[in-house]
Amino acid sequence: MTTRPPLVPGRLDALARAVRTIIGVPDYERYLRYMSQRHAAEQPLPREQFLRLRLQDRYNRPGSRCC
Amino acid sequence: MQHRVSDRGLTSLLSPSAAARRIPGMRTVLYRIVWGIVACLGIGALAWLALSRGETINAAWLITAAVCTFAVAYRFYSKFIAARVFALDARRATPAVRLEDGRDYEPTNRWIVFGHHFAAIAGPGPLVGPTLAAQFGFLPGALWIIIGVVLGGAVQDFVILVASVRRDGRTLGQMAKDEIGPVAGFTALVAVLGIMIILISVLGLVVVNALRASPWGAVTIGLTIPIALVLGIYLRFVRPGRVLEATLLGLALLVLALYAGQWVAASPTLAPVFTLDAKTLALLVMAYSFLASVVPVWLLLAPRDYLSAFVKIGVVVALAVGIIVVLPPLEMPALTRFVDGTGPIFAGKVFPFAFITIACGAISGFHALIASGTTPKLLANETDARMVGYGGMLMEAMVGIMALIAACVLTPGVYFAINAPVALLGTTAQSAAHAISGWGFTLDPGELQRLASQVGERTLLSRTGGAPSLAVGMAHLFSGILGGHEAMALWYHFAIMFEALFILTTLDAGTRVGRFMLQDLGRHVWAPFGRVSWYPAVVLSSAIFVAMWGHFLWQGVIDPLGGINSLWPLFGISNQLLAAVALCVGTTVIIKMGKARYAWVTLAPLAWLVAVTLTAGWQKIFASSPRLGFLAHARALEAAGAVGGDVSRLIFNDRLDAAVAAFFMVAVIVILTDSARQWLLVSRGLLPAVSTEIPFEPTAIAS
């Protein structure tokens, strides 16, 4: 059972992560955590490739930007 | 305040005082009294706005009316939609939970999703539209934003968000295809491409007009491009991943750019070099967007987006603080004589054109793309959709109200001197004063010149497009808090900088998206064209897309009436067309859920939008006044008999604009007809009421 994400981030680090999510920065650390929890047997993508794929996805379709 | 919709029945059952609930307790009474007061305040403020004539009204009334109406609407109407129409269920697993992949699908705290969604939907639209619509007076715009968002815009965003959350985060286009049919799906796809073209060109025109003949603005905005490049390189090679640190560096550099612009503008040798005319600026904007579309995303688009998101939130907060601290009087009357359709900024009567001019802020179809894009993949809990979808749009409406206030703190004389085209004002302050007195307002030519030198510009006359007048209004408000008159120039260029930053971010990201859409369509004709990693195809498709919107931008630049008069209504029509598509999808979803008795929730705003879009489209094509009707304008040019390259190009552009408007109208009718057929078949029982909703699965996330 996972817990609901915390409302008030306890640490400054978590606050920074919240701000990054709001402005749309891909979160590699979270991805690593996810991979180690759910797909521990698989090799996660290296940081560079992960970021490239995430940015491509964000800027290749309408739905992330408005007038 | 945030009740879990589904929990309520349960809590009252389990609560020992369930029986006592019939006699309202102290808390319930207090609760009713508080909401009663909020509702009365809202109605009172609205009535005061609508009924008082002749005296100047304080912005506080407008803020009170908006805040109270939004609070009541959020508390009661959005809850009604959440509980009765969709029966949002906190126990139901969202796509973020079921499909979590560490990338797209991520259960996220709802405040963070709210921030993310708001940063994505808020752009230059809610700032520019209300500024332009202020030509009718503050009342039409204010009422349309307040009522339109509560019953239309926020409903659309909320409904599409919920529909998408219950369909694994599908996009609007996919939902149109799945729920309505392939014809509607394809029409929606082509319409989105058309909307992108018009949106980018009109925003490009706004930025060109804001920077025209302004060395300070041109240098400051120009410098934001190398700043973004520096950030991109910093994030890639120097300190990868340190986004916040890099963004702070970028913000410091933006402040430097502001001062650099001032320094250039004051320099007798450099100022003329950077005093650019509209045609040069238009070509530069096109070249920039083309380059942004073909270089890697990390180099330019991403760092620029981070900066812009920060500046965006900062400016919205600053504007709110400025208005609340200063509480300025609204100099603009409630209604001007231009409700009769003779307005100088754009032609057309208050119905339908006030409702076309203000799209973002009241109802914006583009939001449906966002509500069915990233946001539905982040919601940790279905019930969060109410706050993110409905609440997020209410926030954007507040931005629209603030922009309207910033436009209305200018005296009408100054407002029209900045926003009306040269063709109506002439080229001197004296001719402008004369024209404006003919409209029943007064302009002191000396005052306009004083204001221009205060904000550090050579002239403010006919700086059309909305951005300069909004910047003057904001400089007026900000300098009232900090810096006084001496700071006006810095505040003005700060406002111009952030508006241009927003717009360029929409321009470059939009060009890239448009390029991909074009490649996706083009691969059916010639397969290699669709290869997104083949450089010749990338360059070719980017060039074609830039040429498509560049044509309209160029048309706006050379238009003697100022392009806003023809392009902004086209943009409004296209955006409202997309909203109509979204509401058709929403209605179909509601009917197929077996909730046809609540279909009026989306049908009512849909009916209004269809009436507005078709009337406006019809008038823009066929009206007999050359200022309003595209075809009448072409005929007038032909009748004038002057033949030449420019005139024949103007005539061609008029006919092209008419064709674009006709295309949008046909698209509305096609999608509406296709949807109505579905609604009839389902309601007559000829078609089973089956939607593509993903069946209930219990969530693993504790709420």
Side-chain angles (χ1 to χ4, degrees):
Chain A
M1 192 115 165
T2 43
T3 49
R4 202 180 158 86
L7 175 65
V8 179
R11 292 168 297 149
L12 202 62
D13 180 48
L15 182 68
R17 187 168 298 144
V19 174
R20 281 200 295 266
T21 313
I22 287 175
I23 65 172
V25 183
D27 193 339
Y28 185 64
E29 279 67 38
R30 188 168 180 170
Y31 165 73
L32 281 186
R33 216 158 3 114
Y34 165 81
M35 289 302 280
S36 68
Q37 278 168 8
R38 303 284 186 86
H39 304 281
E42 284 173 42
Q43 184 69 27
L45 298 173
R47 179 188 286 269
E48 191 149 309
Q49 198 184 351
F50 174 80
L51 294 182
R52 192 162 45 87
L53 289 175
R54 297 307 305 136
L55 286 180
Q56 260 176 22
D57 191 56
R58 181 172 158 84
Y59 290 99
N60 290 4
R61 56 187 162 75
S64 61
R65 155 109 10 260
C66 184
C67 32
Chain B
M1 215 181 93
Q2 183 81 10
H3 293 276
R4 289 270 162 259
V5 171
S6 58
D7 291 347
R8 271 193 100 201
L10 205 63
T11 21
S12 63
L13 253 175
L14 296 176
S15 151
S17 60
R21 282 285 161 88
R22 264 171 243 146
I23 308 154
M26 206 37 208
R27 274 191 65 189
T28 322
V29 171
L30 198 68
Y31 184 78
R32 283 179 189 167
I33 290 174
V34 168
W35 279 108
I37 291 172
V38 172
C40 289
L41 259 177
I43 292 167
L46 272 174
W48 181 258
L49 284 175
L51 299 176
S52 59
R53 288 283 180 279
E55 67 257 63
T56 317
I57 288 198
N58 194 284
W61 289 101
L62 195 44
I63 297 279
T64 311
V67 169
C68 294
T69 312
F70 294 169
V72 171
Y74 182 79
R75 170 62 187 77
F76 297 99
Y77 191 45
S78 76
K79 186 163 186 176
F80 165 81
I81 297 174
R84 295 292 179 81
V85 182
F86 287 111
L88 292 187
D89 189 342
R91 293 164 304 171
R92 185 180 186 136
T94 59
V97 175
R98 283 186 292 108
L99 308 173
E100 183 176 359
D101 60 0
R103 303 167 207 187
D104 258 340
Y105 294 91
E106 293 254 7
T108 308
N109 175 279
R110 59 183 170 155
W111 290 99
I112 298 177
V113 185
F114 181 86
H116 183 275
H117 183 74
F118 179 70
I121 61 174
L127 298 172
V128 177
T131 307
L132 299 176
Q135 79 161 350
F136 293 126
F138 68 80
L139 193 60
L143 290 181
W144 168 230
I145 293 176
I146 293 175
I147 298 170
V149 74
V150 159
L151 298 178
V155 172
Q156 172 208 266
D157 292 15
F158 184 24
V159 167
I160 292 299
L161 180 58
V162 173
S164 179
V165 164
R166 288 200 174 159
R167 282 163 186 76
D168 286 348
R170 296 244 171 108
T171 62
L172 181 72
Q174 288 167 328
M175 288 195 286
K177 189 166 159 246
D178 295 345
E179 299 291 333
I180 303 173
V183 177
F186 182 73
T187 312
L189 193 73
V190 181
V192 170
L193 192 65
I195 291 161
M196 301 277 300
I197 293 170
I198 299 296
L199 165 77
I200 295 176
S201 61
V202 74
L203 289 179
L205 184 62
V206 170
V207 92
V208 163
N209 282 344
L211 302 183
R212 184 163 51 90
S214 164
W216 188 340
V219 168
T220 306
I221 301 308
L223 281 175
T224 63
I225 296 165
I227 290 174
L229 293 175
V230 167
L231 293 198
I233 291 167
Y234 184 89
L235 280 172
R236 175 93 170 178
F237 300 111
V238 186
R239 280 168 72 82
R242 301 298 180 120
V243 174
L244 294 183
E245 168 190 309
T247 310
L248 285 179
L249 174 77
L251 291 175
L253 290 175
L254 282 186
V255 174
L256 277 184
L258 198 57
Y259 281 98
Q262 185 181 31
W263 179 74
V264 168
S267 148
T269 47
L270 286 178
V273 179
F274 292 97
T275 307
L276 305 171
D277 64 359
K279 287 182 179 176
T280 315
L281 280 164
L283 292 174
L284 286 174
V285 166
M286 289 182 221
Y288 163 72
S289 301
F290 171 76
L291 287 176
S293 164
V294 298
V295 301
V297 182
W298 59 264
L299 183 61
L300 186 58
L301 251 62
R304 216 186 152 76
D305 229 11
Y306 301 152
L307 266 184
S308 154
F310 264 103
V311 175
K312 186 181 298 183
I313 291 167
V315 164
V316 167
V317 172
L319 187 57
V321 171
I323 287 174
I324 289 167
V325 171
V326 177
L327 281 184
L330 301 176
E331 301 289 344
M332 187 67 77
L335 291 171
T336 67
R337 51 177 284 191
F338 300 128
V339 293
D340 68 358
T342 57
I345 300 174
F346 56 90
K349 289 186 180 162
V350 66
F351 179 87
F353 285 95
F355 311 100
I356 287 297
T357 308
I358 302 182
C360 313
I363 179 163
S364 165
F366 229 89
H367 293 189
L369 299 180
I370 309 215
S372 64
T374 321
T375 313
K377 298 173 184 157
L378 297 176
L379 287 186
N381 189 316
E382 191 172 85
T383 56
D384 296 347
R386 178 182 167 206
M387 179 180 123
V388 173
Y390 200 93
M393 183 61 195
L394 290 182
M395 275 279 278
E396 168 153 299
M398 263 331 284
V399 176
I401 290 283
M402 295 193 293
L404 185 66
I405 291 174
C408 292
V409 299
L410 306 178
T411 60
V414 168
Y415 169 85
F416 285 110
I418 300 176
N419 283 304
V422 181
L424 300 177
L425 290 181
T427 50
T428 66
Q430 279 68 30
S431 66
H434 183 72
I436 286 170
S437 72
W439 297 332
F441 302 107
T442 50
L443 174 73
D444 171 8
E447 185 199 340
L448 188 67
Q449 201 45 55
R450 243 189 338 275
L451 193 62
S453 61
Q454 259 176 13
V455 300
E457 290 288 285
R458 221 158 34 81
T459 172
L460 283 173
L461 203 59
S462 291
R463 303 295 296 271
T464 57
S469 84
L470 179 64
V472 173
M474 287 174 76
H476 182 79
L477 288 170
F478 291 162
S479 64
I481 309 177
L482 197 67
H485 278 315
E486 289 77 50
M488 279 280 274
L490 276 175
W491 282 124
Y492 172 83
H493 286 93
F494 169 76
I496 289 284
M497 177 178 78
F498 97 81
E499 285 176 76
L501 198 63
F502 279 16
I503 293 179
L504 288 184
T505 318
T506 306
L507 245 58
D508 53 26
T511 301
R512 202 178 171 89
V513 168
R515 184 256 275 186
F516 275 95
M517 295 178 71
L518 213 55
Q519 283 193 287
D520 199 40
L521 285 172
R523 77 192 153 89
H524 298 297
V525 183
W526 184 50
F529 187 75
R531 276 158 43 192
V532 291
S533 49
W534 187 47
Y535 219 66
V538 168
V539 170
L540 182 65
S541 53
S542 300
I544 294 175
F545 191 68
V546 171
M548 286 164 100
W549 64 257
H551 177 88
F552 286 94
L553 170 57
W554 192 257
Q555 160 194 336
V557 166
I558 61 170
D559 186 344
L561 278 173
I564 294 293
N565 181 47
S566 51
L567 284 180
W568 193 268
L570 274 186
F571 161 60
I573 292 172
S574 67
N575 203 353
Q576 308 296 49
L577 150 70
L578 198 53
V581 175
L583 290 168
C584 279
V585 170
T587 310
T588 314
V589 164
I590 292 173
I591 290 177
K592 287 190 173 175
M593 276 166 62
K595 296 287 179 78
R597 65 188 178 285
Y598 295 127
W600 53 264
V601 166
T602 44
L603 275 177
L606 177 61
W608 174 253
L609 280 189
V610 169
V612 162
T613 324
L614 294 186
T615 318
W618 184 266
Q619 290 187 3
K620 282 310 288 180
I621 301 174
F622 296 112
S624 57
S625 149
R627 277 201 65 222
L628 183 57
F630 291 128
L631 296 181
H633 190 249
R635 276 196 305 274
L637 286 174
E638 269 179 337
V643 206
D646 264 2
V647 175
S648 55
R649 191 181 304 152
L650 286 174
I651 293 174
F652 171 78
N653 285 337
D654 278 329
R655 294 195 172 133
L656 179 64
D657 289 346
V660 171
F663 163 72
F664 288 143
M665 288 171 71
V666 170
V668 172
I669 293 167
V670 165
I671 290 170
L672 188 66
T673 318
D674 213 12
S675 313
R677 207 170 48 93
Q678 291 276 321
W679 304 338
L680 279 179
L681 289 177
V682 172
S683 61
R684 282 187 187 158
L686 296 172
L687 200 73
V690 180
S691 77
T692 53
E693 200 171 280
I694 306 290
F696 177 90
E697 254 181 65
T699 185
I701 285 198
S703 51

